[in-house]
Amino acid sequence: PLEGLHGGKPAVGPPNQAWISMDLIDTLIHLADQGYYNEVHTNIEGGAKACPELVLDGIAQSGRGEWTLLHQEVFAMLLPAYVDSHANSSLVLHRLWPLQQRRIIEAMAEMPAHDNSVVSRILDIAQDLKILPTILKAPQRSFAIDVAALASRREYLNLEKWVQECIAEEGLPFVSACITLLREKNVASSWRQPREGMKEKPPFVPLSPESSAIFFKVLQANSGSMPSELVEELKSLYESSLQGNPGFQ
């Protein structure tokens, strides 16, 4: 049961209490693997409409062993709503985090590609769950760097120290991830003054000038160990940032 759900939701779901049964979840997963995937998926969709928190919790618990296609699809279907603003976000994520840290980080890392503004919400969750250090070590480095930049802006992190430490520990792959993020953010900055008739959202939220300056400072200080093509791209990005932000140094 999930006690404390908002909106008057019962902790045990529908009156038959089916979705608090791990036997039911395990049986459905077994049937999905035996050729009844579509039928199982339809049943789980029905459960998700009635009590998504319980279905997600059951899937997370059963996934501590093998992680199947069904686990993956249910997580992808239900988890984003709780990463985004939801009345039961804190309760659900506190419950799921000890069970599926890796899967939650994977899901979080995919979300900014669809709406980069979600990084702000992810940072809120990281503070609520006290998991910022874990997220900053995520293997999805561009995602971790994006979160780090915002954490620095909110004064949760010494960005210059963190970037320097990551370069020392990870070397060129981390440098490349930083430059990739700077490239994406540089494109985003060109959307600050949308052209007439433009309705699309920018693909990425621009970095603050302060965060950009820190990245350039540390990367340029380490340029001696970088391949020439990355040095040239870093120089080009720096010059572009100067043009787009006259006050940028």
Side-chain angles (χ1 to χ4, degrees):
L2 278 177
E3 302 289 347
L5 290 172
H6 289 271
K9 291 186 175 182
V12 295
N16 62 15
Q17 302 185 16
W19 293 103
I20 63 171
S21 168
M22 286 308 302
D23 286 342
L24 172 63
I25 297 288
D26 290 341
T27 299
L28 288 172
I29 290 166
H30 176 72
L31 288 171
D33 288 342
Q34 298 301 311
Y36 298 96
Y37 187 91
N38 291 337
E39 293 85 348
V40 168
H41 200 279
T42 298
N43 273 278
I44 286 184
E45 284 181 336
K49 289 178 181 177
C51 49
E53 295 87 358
L54 291 177
V55 173
L56 192 53
D57 180 54
I59 288 292
Q61 290 192 56
S62 70
R64 283 179 291 183
E66 182 183 5
W67 190 259
T68 68
L69 177 62
L70 185 65
H71 288 98
Q72 181 180 330
E73 290 207 351
V74 174
F75 234 59
M77 176 175 66
L78 298 181
L79 186 64
Y82 298 95
V83 174
D84 206 347
S85 297
H86 190 287
N88 289 316
S89 289
S90 183
L91 186 151
V92 168
L93 291 170
H94 272 91
R95 176 82 165 220
L96 298 185
W97 179 253
L99 302 172
Q100 294 294 346
Q101 292 185 19
R102 174 186 163 192
R103 309 298 177 182
I104 290 172
I105 288 177
E106 287 175 352
M108 286 179 170
E110 290 179 1
M111 292 179 69
H114 305 287
D115 178 5
N116 197 234
S117 65
V118 78
V119 173
S120 177
R121 173 63 185 147
I122 289 170
L123 182 55
D124 291 340
I125 291 168
Q127 289 298 101
D128 181 33
L129 271 62
K130 297 179 172 57
I131 59 172
L132 181 58
T134 302
I135 288 182
L136 295 181
K137 292 178 182 177
Q140 302 84 357
R141 299 313 283 148
S142 289
F143 163 69
I145 295 165
D146 204 0
V147 174
L150 184 57
S152 169
R153 192 170 183 176
R154 295 187 187 175
E155 300 184 349
Y156 300 154
L157 178 74
N158 183 328
L159 184 62
E160 183 173 343
K161 180 174 181 287
W162 182 78
V163 172
Q164 185 59 62
E165 288 175 349
C166 289
I167 291 175
E169 292 175 9
E170 302 172 38
L172 193 56
F174 183 81
V175 169
S176 297
C178 286
I179 290 177
T180 296
L181 189 74
L182 285 170
R183 185 191 315 125
E184 292 167 345
K185 298 294 189 175
N186 186 53
V187 171
S189 66
S190 68
W191 290 63
R192 282 178 168 166
Q193 300 296 328
R195 295 184 296 274
E196 185 177 354
M198 183 181 289
K199 296 181 180 179
E200 301 96 331
K201 292 173 109 178
F204 294 90
V205 176
L207 288 173
S208 69
E210 296 79 10
S211 295
S212 294
I214 290 171
F215 280 111
F216 283 118
K217 175 184 176 182
V218 179
L219 290 170
Q220 287 168 345
N222 287 271
S223 61
S225 59
M226 292 161 54
S228 58
E229 60 269 20
L230 284 184
V231 174
E232 286 302 313
E233 182 169 11
L234 182 61
K235 180 181 178 182
S236 175
L237 287 168
Y238 181 72
E239 291 173 351
S240 177
S241 293
L242 285 174
Q243 293 172 5
N245 299 280
F248 176 78
Q249 298 293 329

